[in-house]
Amino acid sequence: MRTVSGPTDHVVVIGAGLSGLATALHLLGAGRRVTVVERHAGPGGRAGRLELGGYRVDTGPTVLTMPHLADEAFAAVGDSLHRRVELVPLHPAYRARFADGSGLDVHTDGDAMEAEVRRFAGGTEAAGYRRLRRWLEKLYQAQMHRFIDTNFDSPFQLLHPDLARLAALGGFGRLDPQIARFLSDPRLRRVFSFQSLYAGVAPARALAAYAVIAYMDTVAGVWFPKGGMYALPRAMADAATDAGGEFRWSAEVSALERSAGRVRAVRLESGERIACDAVVLTPDLPVVHRLLGRTPRRPVPLRHAPSAVILHAGTDRTWPELAHHTLSFGAAWERTFDELTRTGRLMSDPSLLITRPTTHDPSLAPRGRHLHYVLAPCPNTTAGYSAGTWRGLGPRYRDSLLAELERRGLHGFEASMERELLVTPMDWAAQGLAAGTPFSVSHTFAQTGPFRPRNLVRGHDNVVLAGCGTTPGVGVPTVLVSGKLAAARITGPPRATGARRRPPVTEGHAR
């Protein structure tokens, strides 16, 4: 594995999002001096926190899977996730509701889910689910350490027996047909294939290998951190501080001072100069390229994942049919993905993720109130409407979303709202996110593994990238891995320990 050359005693990490915090913890654990520079007043990055009239709103991801990957970062400094954060395992992980009025709870326990599938669709589908579950487990085992949790220096690293195992499992086929080998009910197939949208690719075109995200969601377990998702970056920053890390909050980076192929210092807008031996860049790729002074050439331009509109709503009531996470599917499916990724139109029959974090933490809202988060995927600003168009489109789309929620049984939703915040691609673009999407570069084959923007930068001997725009990719688990991989580029691979095992989880805590 290639590593940064020369001295690496003092590392500056730019960005205190999940990837930057993971990088900092792993570097601190390896004995490096670390300074983290963050433009916001606190940690989190996209996984930030907003106070909305007494409601504490998570501004980014709301689904936590694979918490042991976060625990690896804490363990690097002799700390632990369960000491810092109380995690509640979600049962069910999701509730799925369909346009025909049917619904099922998605359990990560195999026996519970088999019984639910049998109730929902009969014994044949229940047996198919069991086979699907075994396939997902094998897919994960074939991919995680060889293709996800690894630093690539060359595509030739793919030539490994695990590649043959992945091919034998059908990982290089298309996701939809592979899921259909196990399940004939189209509603169930949606439950195990919608996750490809996280990777920015429609199920009909996504590699079956991306069913590994369904493994994380439907087999490995879904958790909720008490205090909201923001509790995770807050705890990581606290652990890094206790381990000797230094944080510069509300500090905007203006330039990198370079000479002889190395970054010698980071300059802040305030005029301060922070000398360093190496630097880790975690912002979105356009910001990274601006700081480096050039955009790397690629045979074809990068393609970005669809974006999302999010309605944060603080309400004076809730609806008992909602779980912590509820997937509300429209009748359309293939057409929906075509609109999101090809034609650039808004979903004519949307599928929505509705999250109610006050289900497990009422303190996130004023007494007797509830917090709802409605996510509607939409085209990014390259495929669809420009960022500026959303200034007028946003309020109209908000009204159509509320009308859709009413049609789907959440009667009185708009009337119940005391506080609200609408986030559109215009807002994502204003944060400096390419194509107005928080989901970064999509996971097409040409943008996966060694073909994704790598975390070492050609022409810069001591610069490393982390975050969802580089390897391994998008999502909370993968950006945590990206931080570990970035640290390893500076420190070399960690010595073999038991850290890679998947630790047991007990009710209330991840261990």
Side-chain angles (χ1 to χ4, degrees):
M1 183 185 72
R2 290 176 55 204
T3 57
V4 164
S5 62
T8 60
D9 296 333
H10 180 208
V11 183
V12 173
V13 178
I14 298 178
L18 293 174
S19 63
L21 293 168
T23 304
L25 287 167
H26 284 286
L27 288 172
L28 288 163
R32 300 312 192 268
R33 177 184 163 211
V34 177
T35 302
V36 181
V37 179
E38 170 56 50
R39 64 176 176 168
H40 294 115
R46 295 177 208 197
R49 165 59 55 79
L50 179 70
E51 298 289 336
L52 191 65
Y55 295 90
R56 295 188 291 158
V57 175
D58 285 322
T59 61
T62 62
V63 179
L64 177 63
T65 61
M66 312 293 280
H68 69 282
L69 296 174
D71 194 45
E72 285 186 2
F74 286 96
V77 295
D79 209 328
S80 67
L81 174 63
H82 77 268
R83 191 174 80 83
R84 297 273 183 175
V85 181
E86 182 181 355
L87 294 184
V88 180
L90 297 186
H91 305 300
Y94 297 94
R95 177 163 294 154
R97 295 170 60 87
F98 301 96
D100 63 2
S102 62
L104 85 159
D105 286 346
V106 181
H107 299 282
T108 53
D109 175 79
D111 292 338
M113 188 59 183
E114 182 179 0
E116 180 71 350
V117 172
R118 181 175 289 106
R119 177 200 65 79
F120 179 77
T124 300
E125 294 295 272
Y129 160 73
R130 274 296 186 185
R131 294 195 303 275
L132 171 62
R133 186 182 177 95
R134 288 193 292 271
W135 179 71
L136 291 173
E137 290 170 340
K138 292 176 181 177
L139 203 67
Y140 171 78
Q141 292 162 4
Q143 288 189 75
M144 185 61 189
H145 298 309
R146 180 58 52 185
F147 303 115
I148 298 175
D149 189 6
T150 192
N151 272 312
F152 283 100
D153 292 321
S154 165
F156 291 109
Q157 284 178 249
L158 292 172
L159 302 178
H160 184 274
D162 281 343
L163 184 70
R165 296 188 188 100
L166 187 57
L169 289 167
F172 296 106
R174 297 301 174 188
L175 179 60
D176 256 352
Q178 288 296 332
I179 299 295
R181 290 193 302 122
F182 305 98
L183 300 170
S184 61
D185 190 306
R187 298 167 299 175
L188 290 174
R189 293 206 300 267
R190 291 186 186 191
V191 168
F192 292 95
S193 64
F194 81 90
Q195 295 88 353
S196 71
L197 187 59
Y198 298 157
V201 187
R205 299 196 300 276
L207 290 177
Y210 283 109
V212 71
I213 310 175
Y215 166 85
M216 297 176 184
D217 267 5
T218 67
V219 176
V222 177
W223 282 263
F224 171 70
K226 282 291 188 74
M229 284 290 289
Y230 182 70
L232 176 58
R234 179 72 268 172
M236 294 175 76
D238 290 344
T241 300
D242 290 348
E246 181 182 358
F247 286 84
R248 304 290 180 87
W249 304 115
S250 303
E252 187 82 34
V253 175
S254 61
L256 304 178
E257 185 180 301
R258 292 166 287 173
S259 68
R262 296 180 72 85
V263 171
R264 306 292 179 174
V266 173
R267 290 195 176 273
L268 307 184
E269 293 284 0
S270 64
E272 182 182 2
R273 177 183 184 272
I274 306 174
C276 62
D277 297 308
V279 64
V280 178
L281 302 175
T282 73
D284 213 34
L285 289 177
V287 178
V288 168
H289 296 156
R290 176 177 59 79
L291 290 173
L292 293 175
R294 68 181 183 90
T295 300
R297 292 183 179 179
R298 289 181 63 91
V300 293
L302 289 172
R303 290 178 53 189
H304 288 81
S307 185
V309 172
I310 300 174
L311 176 64
H312 299 283
T315 65
D316 63 11
R317 60 165 294 194
T318 190
W319 292 261
E321 61 266 36
L322 294 177
H324 190 110
H325 296 298
T326 300
L327 296 163
S328 178
F329 290 105
W333 191 238
E334 289 84 0
R335 185 179 80 229
T336 294
F337 286 99
D338 198 51
E339 290 165 340
L340 290 172
T341 62
R342 291 189 172 184
T343 66
R345 297 173 184 157
L346 296 174
M347 291 183 293
S348 54
D349 187 10
S351 290
L352 309 171
L353 171 63
I354 305 168
T355 295
R356 185 180 60 188
T358 44
T359 302
H360 288 94
D361 191 349
S363 72
L364 295 173
R367 183 181 294 273
R369 300 301 191 260
H370 306 271
L371 184 58
H372 299 85
Y373 164 116
V374 182
L375 184 149
C378 70
N380 63 44
T381 57
T382 300
Y385 296 102
S386 68
T389 301
W390 277 97
R391 188 178 305 279
L393 177 60
R396 298 197 303 274
Y397 191 60
R398 172 257 190 205
D399 293 344
S400 69
L401 269 181
L402 290 171
E404 190 63 38
L405 293 175
E406 293 278 349
R407 282 193 291 271
R408 297 187 185 187
L410 301 187
H411 302 301
F413 193 94
E414 181 173 12
S416 75
M417 293 195 305
E418 297 181 329
R419 299 281 179 171
E420 65 174 288
L421 175 68
L422 187 75
V423 182
T424 74
M426 178 182 70
D427 302 293
W428 303 122
Q431 294 177 30
L433 304 184
T437 174
F439 304 115
S440 192
V441 178
S442 64
H443 284 261
T444 61
F445 179 78
Q447 296 177 172
T448 295
F451 309 113
R452 198 168 180 81
R454 296 191 194 172
N455 57 8
L456 286 181
V457 180
R458 184 174 297 175
H460 295 80
D461 295 340
N462 64 341
V463 176
V464 184
L465 306 188
C468 56
T470 185
T471 53
V474 180
V476 173
T478 39
V479 298
L480 291 169
V481 171
S482 82
K484 181 174 71 170
L485 297 179
R489 288 294 195 185
I490 294 171
T491 65
R495 288 173 295 180
T497 67
R500 280 190 170 182
R501 65 182 175 84
R502 183 180 168 198
V505 173
T506 59
E507 199 78 16
H509 295 285
R511 296 183 57 192

